[in-house]
Amino acid sequence: MAFQKAVKGTILVGGGALATVLGLSQFAHYRRKQMNLAYVKAADCISEPVNREPPSREAQLLTLQNTSEFDILVIGGGATGSGCALDAVTRGLKTALVERDDFSSGTSSRSTKLIHGGVRYLQKAIMKLDIEQYRMVKEALHERANLLEIAPHLSAPLPIMLPVYKWWQLPYYWVGIKLYDLVAGSNCLKSSYVLSKSRALEHFPMLQKDKLVGAIVYYDGQHNDARMNLAIALTAARYGAATANYMEVVSLLKKTDPQAGKVRVSGARCKDVLTGQEFDVRAKCVINATGPFTDSVRKMDDKDASAICQPSAGVHIVMPGYYSPESMGLLDPATSDGRVIFFLPWQKMTIAGTTDTPTDITHHPIPSEEDINFILNEVRNYLSCDVEVRRGDVLAAWSGIRPLVTDPKSADTQSISRNHVVDISESGLVTIAGGKWTTYRSMAEDTINAAIKTHNLKAGPSRTVGLFLQGGKDWSPTLYIRLVQDYGLESEVAQHLAATYGDKAFEVAKMASVTGKRWPIVGVRLVSEFPYIEAEVKYGIKEYACTAVDMISRRTRLAFLNVQAAEEALPRIVELMGRELNWDDYKKQEQLETARKFLYYEMGYKSRSEQLTDRSEISLLPSDIDRYKKRFHKFDADQKGFITIVDVQRVLESINVQMDENTLHEILNEVDLNKNGQVELNEFLQLMSAIQKGRVSGSRLAILMKTAEENLDRRVPIPVDRSCGGL
């Protein structure tokens, strides 16, 4: 078994795709042409996309079925696998990509959203005189610059503050960060700098003031990881790759090489997860880019293959945007247990993470309450005591499994670098394992180089440095203004579309529904507090979205920003998808239930909802209980012991406030623990107790009732936005 070690880094969950069709009958050629499917002849390189738009999933499946043999078949649709597909197809290789779930459904969508070289890896390289770690950082910094260039709509430089609380640490960290700039060389985004205590607090006013002596600010990149992964896969498809999500590899195909007399991997038996149809996809070379599931594919090839991946779980949480400045992150270089915590603005929210603990491999990783509380405690250590860090402010949480390369000398996963390994088995299966998000492109290049050499494929050099990803070529920072002027979109929505789809935003805008209002003219939102619009659901289907989960988590990022808002948007999303995909009522209900289960377990809704249960303790002072009972009875005028929608409507009408019944039902349902259609006094007291403890925030019912009590005589409107404000 040959190993080719490379010094790179990034979370991977593999995936890529490429395809071309040769030697088809005239009829078959005509049929595919009608389906907007391009055919690409193998060449030294492909300089321009062969498809203006990615072919439909149905067209891609036909290509997979009817191509006699591909040069490359990539298994896995994460960042690395999609990168392998793009690298191969742009070299002129006939390429296919299959992914069991959706593109970026694994670790590639559950990262810290940073494009970085790794400050702590550089520290280890210097402290341990580790040349491999140094090379990894240097390579990652080069890849960081490239990624910011080829997908400018999805990525941007981000200043990150490192607060310093001991005088001796100031020169220590300053030298380390300056070395980071030096290693980046011409790829340095912006030069790092030192801030005094007062200037640091100006930039980050919620920072802990006591003992703060100053801060150092350096620059790394930030991106929308799932959309970036999707852009790589879509770009591969446009260049001619046959890419298909929801295609599971059930077994590897093998044949005997007549010249060498050896058994070689020659393709894979694939199953369409959506229909159950199975067929063979043959290829000269098969690449295993399946991230945490690397060893399961290796064992398909050789049941005695030893494990080379050591999985590690990284949990992140999302909190309201007011927890951090809009354009500056924070790095805690030494947490209570020696790990590193980032605290970053993202999509107008705040991300905090990550943990790093050994884990079992699973398709559905769940964030634990222990990890969520660990992150919250670390955040409390760095924020001012004026800022109450509340458990109830966790709007979403997720766990991603990093496929780290096992180091037998390592006692724990934290000391493992994100180096990657290219492994070629006796039967010719090429496996790419380890790595980190930032270096997906160089990992893919190394992998395709190894595949070409091992299988004697005819191809030119890699062409992916500087190759624009979908949406990036004609994007500009002012593109959103044209969307506002030409289509009548809200400025916030236009900025979101430009930052998500790049130069493809105009196609989404063309699909936008008329609002019926004076302004905005078009662009009906899926949920009021986020700029996602209904047209994105229709466009998402063109981007291979097949399920409601695909839509709420990877085409839009609602599930990663606010699980409650995602759940509220689900019925409309399912309705729109059902219309486009011809779902019957049973299929729609199935999609709703699956998506709610995803939110409940994988996106932290379970942990959030468990902060208020029918077993929650009521720990209020007698005076507080009396006060809250009086508030409750303002609505329960008949002294029934519970309130219903009718009771709330009666109070609102008395102060001239109108609210539709569906909204009221949602508001009461948040607190109705036993789901009997009414909120009982005990449930209300449990809610108020949980709010006082910080376990629950943003309860619309609590805000509404408090405001109504204060304003019954003044007759002022009642705000019921999901504000996350305390009471």
Side-chain angles (χ1 to χ4, degrees):
M1 188 174 291
F3 280 84
Q4 299 181 12
K5 290 191 177 179
V7 186
K8 323 282 177 186
T10 268
I11 296 174
L12 72 76
V13 173
L18 303 123
T20 40
V21 184
L22 298 173
L24 295 174
S25 68
Q26 187 175 2
F27 174 77
H29 179 84
Y30 173 78
R31 185 182 178 194
R32 284 178 183 69
K33 192 171 182 180
Q34 292 299 100
M35 299 182 74
N36 191 34
L37 181 61
Y39 303 87
V40 184
K41 293 183 179 180
D44 290 338
C45 65
I46 299 174
S47 58
E48 294 293 333
V50 296
N51 299 311
R52 184 176 178 276
E53 297 296 333
S56 67
R57 183 174 182 272
E58 291 73 20
Q60 298 283 38
L61 292 179
L62 278 173
T63 306
L64 288 171
Q65 285 180 267
N66 292 293
T67 301
S68 57
E69 185 179 51
F70 290 96
D71 293 320
I72 299 279
L73 168 62
V74 183
I75 306 173
T80 305
S82 298
C84 286
L86 180 58
D87 189 280
V89 78
T90 51
R91 297 191 196 207
L93 295 168
K94 287 193 291 182
T95 310
L97 165 74
V98 293
E99 160 60 43
R100 174 182 52 202
D101 204 304
D102 184 28
F103 302 114
S104 195
S105 58
T107 312
S108 293
S109 63
R110 307 180 190 218
S111 72
T112 312
K113 323 302 180 193
L114 284 177
I115 310 169
H116 63 128
V119 172
R120 62 177 174 144
Y121 301 144
L122 182 60
Q123 180 188 27
K124 289 181 181 179
I126 295 170
M127 299 299 288
K128 299 180 180 179
L129 300 178
D130 188 335
I131 189 65
E132 185 174 307
Q133 293 257 14
Y134 169 78
R135 287 173 179 160
M136 182 192 73
V137 173
K138 189 169 182 63
E139 180 68 27
L141 290 170
H142 172 267
E143 293 301 323
R144 178 188 71 178
N146 182 66
L147 196 50
L148 288 167
E149 178 185 348
I150 65 176
H153 58 304
L154 292 169
S155 59
L158 176 71
I160 300 176
M161 180 184 290
L162 197 163
V164 180
Y165 288 90
K166 295 179 181 177
W167 281 107
W168 69 266
Q169 290 179 335
L170 201 58
Y172 173 77
Y173 286 133
W174 182 82
V175 170
I177 294 298
K178 279 299 175 185
L179 282 172
Y180 193 60
D181 292 348
L182 186 64
V183 172
S186 61
N187 293 318
C188 182
L189 302 180
K190 290 184 181 180
S191 183
S192 57
Y193 55 90
V194 177
L195 291 175
S196 65
K197 176 178 179 178
S198 60
R199 290 284 292 162
L201 291 172
E202 281 181 30
H203 285 282
F204 212 117
M206 55 284 292
L207 202 60
Q208 173 66 260
K209 302 178 182 68
D210 296 343
K211 299 182 180 178
L212 180 70
V213 298
I216 300 169
V217 176
Y218 73 98
Y219 287 80
D220 257 326
Q222 188 178 53
H223 68 153
N224 186 337
D225 53 2
R227 293 293 316 183
M228 185 74 79
N229 190 158
L230 185 63
I232 299 167
L234 291 172
T235 306
R238 290 182 62 211
Y239 273 88
T243 63
N245 54 352
Y246 293 98
M247 287 297 296
E248 180 180 6
V249 170
V250 294
S251 63
L252 296 177
L253 305 177
K254 293 188 177 183
K255 68 179 181 181
T256 302
D257 185 342
Q259 294 181 337
K262 292 183 178 180
V263 175
R264 309 287 284 180
V265 173
S266 60
R269 181 73 176 174
C270 297
K271 177 182 178 181
D272 187 338
V273 176
L274 302 179
T275 65
Q277 181 188 13
E278 292 190 15
F279 54 85
D280 293 340
V281 179
R282 299 195 175 275
K284 295 172 185 175
C285 173
V286 176
I287 294 174
N288 170 19
T290 52
F293 305 97
T294 293
D295 289 322
S296 63
V297 176
R298 293 178 73 246
K299 289 183 184 297
M300 284 185 188
D301 174 39
D302 177 6
K303 59 180 175 41
D304 297 322
S306 59
I308 64 172
C309 275
Q310 181 172 322
S312 168
V315 171
H316 296 80
I317 63 174
V318 170
M319 306 177 79
Y322 55 69
Y323 272 93
S324 66
E326 190 173 331
S327 58
M328 182 169 287
L330 180 77
L331 168 64
D332 177 357
T335 62
S336 56
D337 66 352
R339 293 183 282 198
V340 171
I341 288 285
F342 285 99
F343 196 60
L344 310 167
W346 185 70
Q347 303 280 306
K348 299 188 177 180
M349 294 295 180
T350 302
I351 288 181
T354 177
T355 60
D356 195 354
T357 53
T359 186
D360 295 326
I361 295 174
T362 173
H363 294 293
H364 306 289
I366 299 172
S368 71
E369 188 64 23
E370 180 183 0
D371 282 332
I372 291 172
N373 284 320
F374 166 78
I375 296 171
L376 287 174
N377 286 333
E378 294 303 323
V379 169
R380 289 187 185 101
N381 291 338
Y382 271 83
L383 294 190
S384 167
C385 57
D386 297 336
V387 180
E388 184 184 358
V389 180
R390 304 179 296 184
R391 175 61 182 82
D393 282 343
V394 176
L395 305 176
W398 66 85
S399 176
I401 301 178
R402 302 184 189 91
L404 309 182
V405 178
T406 302
D407 179 355
K409 298 179 182 179
S410 173
D412 62 301
T413 59
Q414 287 96 297
S415 65
I416 298 176
S417 71
R418 271 55 172 175
N419 294 355
H420 71 258
V421 171
V422 178
D423 165 37
I424 303 170
S425 73
E426 292 294 331
S427 61
L429 175 69
V430 178
T431 294
I432 171 68
K436 54 185 245 142
W437 224 121
T438 308
T439 55
Y440 84 90
R441 192 214 62 82
S442 58
M443 291 165 63
E445 180 180 346
D446 288 346
T447 305
I448 301 304
N449 285 343
I452 290 170
K453 182 178 180 181
T454 302
H455 294 274
N456 298 315
L457 302 175
K458 293 182 180 180
S462 175
R463 297 178 55 82
T464 50
V465 172
L467 181 73
F468 279 106
L469 299 183
Q470 168 136 321
K473 188 175 182 180
D474 295 322
W475 174 88
S476 74
T478 57
L479 183 147
Y480 80 94
I481 297 175
R482 288 177 56 198
L483 292 171
V484 175
Q485 294 175 337
D486 294 353
Y487 294 94
L489 288 161
E490 290 177 80
S491 181
E492 183 187 13
V493 170
Q495 289 178 33
H496 153 68
L497 294 181
T500 302
Y501 304 96
D503 57 32
K504 298 294 181 183
F506 296 99
E507 296 179 21
V508 184
K510 289 175 185 176
M511 296 181 175
S513 303
V514 175
T515 64
K517 302 175 182 177
R518 184 183 61 80
W519 189 264
I521 299 171
V522 300
V524 178
R525 295 195 182 208
L526 289 167
V527 63
S528 61
E529 61 265 59
F530 290 95
Y532 299 106
I533 60 174
E534 292 183 355
E536 292 180 77
V537 178
K538 300 175 187 176
Y539 191 78
I541 293 171
K542 294 179 63 175
E543 296 179 319
Y544 304 132
C546 299
T547 70
V549 172
D550 297 345
M551 203 63 72
I552 61 173
S553 59
R554 293 174 288 275
R555 302 311 182 277
T556 74
R557 304 311 306 274
L558 263 178
F560 283 80
L561 296 170
N562 190 314
V563 288
Q564 192 173 338
E567 186 186 40
E568 289 176 15
L570 262 178
R572 183 57 179 162
I573 288 172
V574 169
E575 185 63 32
L576 291 168
M577 292 189 75
R579 232 181 262 170
E580 298 293 319
L581 299 173
N582 298 316
W583 290 344
D584 58 22
D585 290 343
Y586 176 82
K587 181 68 173 179
K588 291 178 185 177
Q589 188 60 36
E590 181 184 60
Q591 286 291 315
L592 272 174
E593 291 174 1
T594 301
R596 283 169 177 156
K597 184 177 179 182
F598 167 79
L599 292 173
Y600 189 72
Y601 290 105
E602 296 185 50
M603 299 310 300
Y605 210 161
K606 179 176 185 290
S607 294
R608 180 176 171 84
S609 63
E610 284 179 348
Q611 302 308 306
L612 180 64
T613 70
D614 55 8
R615 297 182 300 278
S616 296
E617 179 185 357
I618 298 174
S619 54
L620 296 167
L621 295 173
S623 57
D624 287 333
I625 291 176
D626 289 340
R627 178 160 55 93
Y628 292 138
K629 279 183 176 180
K630 288 178 182 177
R631 184 178 301 173
F632 186 85
H633 290 311
K634 294 276 188 184
F635 287 77
D636 180 24
D638 301 327
Q639 303 292 306
K640 304 182 299 296
F642 61 86
I643 59 175
T644 64
I645 288 178
V646 174
D647 296 316
V648 178
Q649 284 177 325
R650 176 182 52 78
V651 173
L652 293 180
E653 287 172 3
S654 72
I655 55 174
N656 299 320
V657 172
Q658 300 295 321
M659 191 174 298
D660 69 86
E661 193 169 323
N662 288 333
T663 302
L664 285 175
H665 176 75
E666 289 175 3
I667 291 173
L668 263 68
N669 194 52
E670 293 171 8
V671 187
D672 181 12
L673 302 177
N674 54 17
K675 305 304 178 188
N676 61 356
Q678 57 196 34
V679 175
E680 294 155 9
L681 175 60
N682 199 57
E683 290 174 325
F684 180 66
L685 293 176
Q686 287 173 321
L687 169 67
M688 302 314 296
S689 179
I691 288 173
Q692 278 200 5
K693 292 178 180 178
R695 295 202 309 267
V696 171
S697 65
S699 168
R700 291 186 285 177
L701 180 66
I703 295 170
L704 185 149
M705 293 179 70
K706 178 177 183 288
T707 313
E709 181 185 48
E710 294 173 347
N711 296 284
L712 272 170
D713 295 330
R714 286 181 286 171
R715 304 292 195 268
V716 298
I718 302 174
V720 293
D721 291 337
R722 192 185 296 103
S723 66
C724 296
L727 296 170

